[in-house]
C-alpha cells in the first residue's frame, strides 16, 4: 500500500496551485480483492474527483466517495453490466469496448454507446482503440463525454513501462494486434511482438506527455475543421 500512497501524494502535490484540478483513480471493486478496504481508506483521504471501479459493483464505494463530494464511474464491458451499474447508483459509466488493451469488451464503440444511451443519460467514458484527436472527436459524435487514451501515453518518457515495450508499441500497426484471453484469462488486446522478444527503446523517438497531449489536441481540431469543410461543400452543391 505504500507505493499507492506515494503515488496519490505525488499527484496531490503536482495538482497544487491549479484552479479546480480534476483527477481520477481506478480501483478494483471485486468482493474477493484483499486490498479493497485499505485502498478505499487512501482514496477517502486523498479525495480524487472521480473513482472508477473495475471488476465489481460500484455499490461498495459509492457512499464513501460521495461522502467527500466525489463521483463514482463504473467500468463495464457489456450492456448487462451497464444496467447493473446504473441500478447500483453509479454516477457515470466507462464503456470498455473492442480494442481496449487490458480487458476488451465484446461490443464495438458505436453499438455500445447506442445501447447504453437508450437508458442512461449520465456521463459516458469511452475506451478502446482511441489514440488520436480525430478518434476523440468520433467518440464525441457517438455520444461519449470523455475518453480513455492508453497505449499512446505508454511510450512517453514519463511512463514507467518496461523499455522493451516502448519500441513495439510505436512500431505497431493494426495488423500487429490480436485479441486473446490466453494470457490472463480475460479477453484483451496484445501485440504479436510481445509474445516473443520485445524491441529496445530509442530515446529520440520517445515523446513527453505534453507533446502527445498537444498532438492529440491538434488532431482533434483538424477533425473539427474537416467537418466544417464537408458541411460547406455540401451547402454549395
Amino acid at each position: 500500500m505504500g507505493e499507492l500512497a506515494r503515488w496519490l501524494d505525488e499527484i496531490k502535490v503536482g495538482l497544487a496551485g491549479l484552479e479546480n484540478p480534476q483527477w481520477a483513480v481506478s480501483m478494483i471493486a471485486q468482493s474477493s480483492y484483499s486490498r479493497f478496504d485499505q485502498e478505499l481508506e487512501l482514496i477517502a483521504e486523498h479525495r480524487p474527483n472521480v473513482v472508477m471501479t473495475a471488476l465489481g459493483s460500484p455499490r461498495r464505494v459509492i457512499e464513501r466517495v460521495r461522502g467527500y463530494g466525489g463521483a463514482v464511474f463504473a467500468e463495464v464491458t457489456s450492456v448487462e453490466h451497464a444496467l447493473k451499474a446504473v441500478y447500483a447508483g453509479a454516477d457515470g459509466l466507462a464503456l470498455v469496448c473492442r480494442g481496449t488493451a487490458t480487458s476488451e469488451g465484446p461490443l464495438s464503440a458505436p453499438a455500445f454507446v447506442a445501447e447504453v444511451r437508450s437508458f442512461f443519460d449520465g456521463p459516458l467514458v469511452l475506451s478502446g482503440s482511441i489514440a488520436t484527436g480525430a478518434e476523440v472527436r468520433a467518440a464525441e459524435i457517438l455520444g461519449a463525454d470523455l475518453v480513455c487514451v492508453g497505449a499512446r501515453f505508454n511510450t512517453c518518457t514519463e511512463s514507467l513501462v518496461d523499455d522493451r515495450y516502448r519500441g513495439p508499441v510505436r512500431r505497431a500497426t493494426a495488423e500487429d494486434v490480436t485479441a486473446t484471453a490466453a494470457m490472463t484469462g480475460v479477453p484483451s488486446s496484445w501485440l504479436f511482438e510481445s509474445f516473443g522478444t520485445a524491441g529496445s527503446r530509442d530515446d529520440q523517438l520517445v515523446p513527453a506527455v505534453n507533446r502527445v497531449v498537444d498532438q492529440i489536441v491538434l488532431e482533434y481540431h483538424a477533425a473539427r475543421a474537416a467537418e466544417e469543410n464537408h458541411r460547406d461543400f455540401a451547402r454549395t452543391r
Side-chain angles (χ1 to χ4, degrees):
M1 296 305 298
E3 185 175 1
L4 176 59
R6 286 192 296 274
W7 271 112
L8 293 174
D9 287 338
E10 185 171 336
I11 291 170
K12 290 298 291 286
V13 171
L15 294 174
L18 296 179
E19 183 178 352
N20 192 28
Q22 302 291 309
W23 64 297
V25 170
S26 178
M27 70 176 299
I28 295 173
Q30 200 169 30
S31 58
S32 59
Y33 185 51
S34 61
R35 297 184 3 166
F36 176 84
D37 291 331
Q38 299 98 307
E39 290 188 2
L40 188 57
E41 285 295 326
L42 281 174
I43 286 171
E45 176 185 344
H46 290 82
R47 301 189 172 193
N49 303 90
V50 174
V51 175
M52 298 181 69
T53 60
L55 302 177
S57 172
R59 193 186 304 275
R60 301 182 70 194
V61 308
I62 286 176
E63 182 177 358
R64 195 68 182 276
V65 174
R66 285 185 180 162
Y68 68 74
V72 176
F73 286 25
E75 290 187 6
V76 294
T77 58
S78 69
V79 176
E80 179 185 3
H81 290 161
L83 282 166
K84 288 181 177 179
V86 171
Y87 292 147
D91 300 294
L93 300 175
L95 308 186
V96 182
C97 306
R98 292 291 299 271
T100 304
T102 52
S103 56
E104 181 177 78
L107 296 175
S108 67
F112 206 173
V113 173
E115 287 278 355
V116 171
R117 277 302 185 211
S118 69
F119 59 83
F120 181 69
D121 61 0
L124 283 187
V125 184
L126 200 59
S127 68
S129 299
I130 299 174
T132 70
E135 289 156 1
V136 173
R137 177 57 180 157
E140 193 174 46
I141 292 171
L142 287 176
D145 303 287
L146 301 160
V147 299
C148 282
V149 179
R152 189 167 181 181
F153 287 108
N154 284 343
T155 63
C156 294
T157 53
E158 295 89 344
S159 172
L160 299 181
V161 300
D162 193 302
D163 284 345
R164 294 171 297 173
Y165 177 68
R166 300 177 197 267
V169 171
R170 292 190 62 80
R171 290 192 296 271
T173 66
E175 294 184 351
D176 298 315
V177 180
T178 185
T180 179
M183 301 297 285
T184 64
V186 178
S188 51
S189 296
W190 292 80
L191 293 174
F192 283 113
E193 191 171 346
S194 68
F195 295 134
T197 302
S200 59
R201 172 178 171 180
D202 182 345
D203 285 321
Q204 293 183 340
L205 296 178
V206 181
V209 165
N210 63 334
R211 288 182 57 193
V212 173
V213 172
D214 289 344
Q215 186 62 38
I216 291 175
V217 171
L218 287 173
E219 293 162 353
Y220 174 84
H221 287 297
R224 293 293 301 267
E227 288 180 55
E228 292 299 324
N229 289 338
H230 286 309
R231 292 194 189 98
D232 291 342
F233 178 75
R235 284 194 290 265
T236 61
R237 297 189 65 182

